[in-house]
């Protein structure tokens, strides 16, 4: 595999040809926030992983390195853009318990970027019809990682994206039954993949 030279936060480093900026940063111990990133699968929908490359803001998880790139992972523009994105995500984001909130990466990043985490509303409407897994739609940010984990990793295809536009949401078996009556085999891959606590092990202890 060839190498390319890039500037990473002002330091010249060697990158592997074909690797993503996120991968490069991680190899050099630089943390970049991610929500929808799923290893080995180009998702690229949340944009929280943006970095500045030669003056442009681009998502690091789906952008490959190229010779001469000047990459800034924490510039003021990057930080401000991430904050704006988090504020938008937090607008429709609620947790049912402190435990669920503590597992949520959006809330973790919110605190890191000086914002309030999402509110805790115990009465929020959830789907608790499944014996082992609970679905809280108000904690879901439609990152689609559970869909990838269920369909592509496990070949189960129980979870799907349903609807269009602002009505888009996650559903089970094309939305006919609630989760407990679906063909879910309780593999738990969605729980492992979910960055927010949208799908959670019941009792929060199974991950
Ligand atoms: S339930 Fe979790 S993994 Fe699935 S789309 Fe929502 S936030 Fe993403
Ligand atoms: S983590 Fe890169 S676009 Fe979501």
């Amino acid at each position: 595999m060839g190498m390319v030279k890039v500037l990473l936060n002002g330091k010249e480093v060697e990158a592997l040809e074909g690797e993503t900026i996120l991968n490069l940063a991680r190899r050099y111990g630089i943390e970049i926030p991610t929500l929808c990133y799923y290893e080995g699968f180009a998702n690229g929908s949340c944009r929280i992983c943006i970095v500045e490359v030669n003056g442009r803001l681009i998502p690091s998880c789906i952008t490959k390195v190229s010779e001469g790139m000047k990459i800034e992972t924490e510039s003021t523009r990057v930080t401000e853009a991430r904050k704006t994105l988090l504020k938008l995500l937090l607008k429709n984001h609620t947790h049912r318990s402190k435990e669920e909130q503590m597992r949520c990466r959006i809330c973790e990043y919110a605190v890191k970027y000086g914002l309030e985490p999402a509110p805790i509303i115990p009465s929020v409407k959830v789907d608790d019809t499944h014996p082992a897994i609970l679905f809280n739609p108000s904690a879901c940010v439609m990152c689609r990682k559970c869909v990838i984990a269920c369909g592509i990793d496990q070949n189960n295809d129980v979870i799907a994206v349903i609807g269009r536009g602002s009505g888009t949401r996650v559903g089970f078996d094309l939305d006919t039954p609630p989760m407990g009556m679906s063909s879910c085999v309780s593999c738990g891959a969605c729980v492992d993949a979910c960055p927010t606590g949208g799908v959670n092990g019941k009792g929060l202890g199974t991950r």
Side-chain angles (χ1 to χ4, degrees):
M1 188 180 279
M3 306 293 272
V4 292
K5 284 207 171 82
V6 300
L7 268 186
L8 182 59
N9 293 347
K11 212 173 109 192
E12 190 174 276
V13 298
E14 290 207 317
L16 308 170
E17 211 173 338
E19 76 176 328
T20 61
I21 296 173
L22 177 67
N23 201 61
L24 169 77
R26 286 184 171 176
R27 284 199 303 105
Y28 282 90
I30 294 168
E31 213 184 302
I32 294 176
T34 63
L35 288 171
C36 74
Y37 172 67
Y38 197 97
E39 201 170 342
F41 192 88
N43 197 4
S45 60
C46 80
R47 296 300 196 256
I48 198 73
C49 67
I50 45 164
V51 292
E52 198 169 339
V53 178
N54 301 347
R56 281 179 56 221
L57 294 177
I58 51 171
S60 62
C61 73
I62 49 167
T63 307
K64 290 186 176 159
V65 290
S66 61
E67 183 75 36
M69 272 183 166
K70 283 187 193 147
I71 306 162
E72 291 289 335
T73 65
E74 284 288 338
S75 65
T76 311
R77 276 184 74 203
V78 167
T79 311
E80 286 308 312
R82 284 189 195 145
K83 257 170 107 163
T84 305
L85 203 59
L86 284 169
K87 279 184 198 162
L88 284 173
L89 289 170
L90 285 160
K91 271 193 180 160
N92 293 313
H93 192 62
T94 309
H95 287 291
R96 69 195 158 91
S97 66
K98 184 74 189 162
E99 290 78 8
E100 189 185 273
Q101 187 200 56
M102 281 170 70
R103 293 163 63 106
C104 175
R105 245 189 263 165
I106 292 177
C107 293
E108 181 193 320
Y109 295 150
V111 173
K112 186 175 161 196
Y113 286 91
L115 305 169
E116 286 292 315
I120 296 166
I121 304 175
S123 59
V124 75
K125 198 168 175 286
V126 295
D127 177 350
D128 64 353
T129 55
H130 190 285
I133 300 168
L134 188 137
F135 176 50
N136 176 3
S138 65
C140 172
V141 285
M142 287 307 300
C143 73
R144 295 158 203 246
K145 283 176 78 177
C146 56
V147 179
I148 301 167
C150 185
I152 292 167
D153 256 25
Q154 301 292 319
N155 280 323
N156 286 332
D157 278 330
V158 177
I159 311 180
V161 173
I162 317 257
R164 304 173 73 177
S166 59
T168 313
R169 66 206 153 80
V170 158
F172 308 95
D173 281 347
L174 296 176
D175 220 17
T176 16
M179 195 182 200
M181 288 161 66
S182 71
S183 57
C184 171
V185 295
S186 306
C187 73
C190 56
V191 176
D192 286 341
C194 181
T196 67
V199 277
N200 242 313
K202 274 193 169 169
L204 292 173
T206 55
R207 192 153 82 157

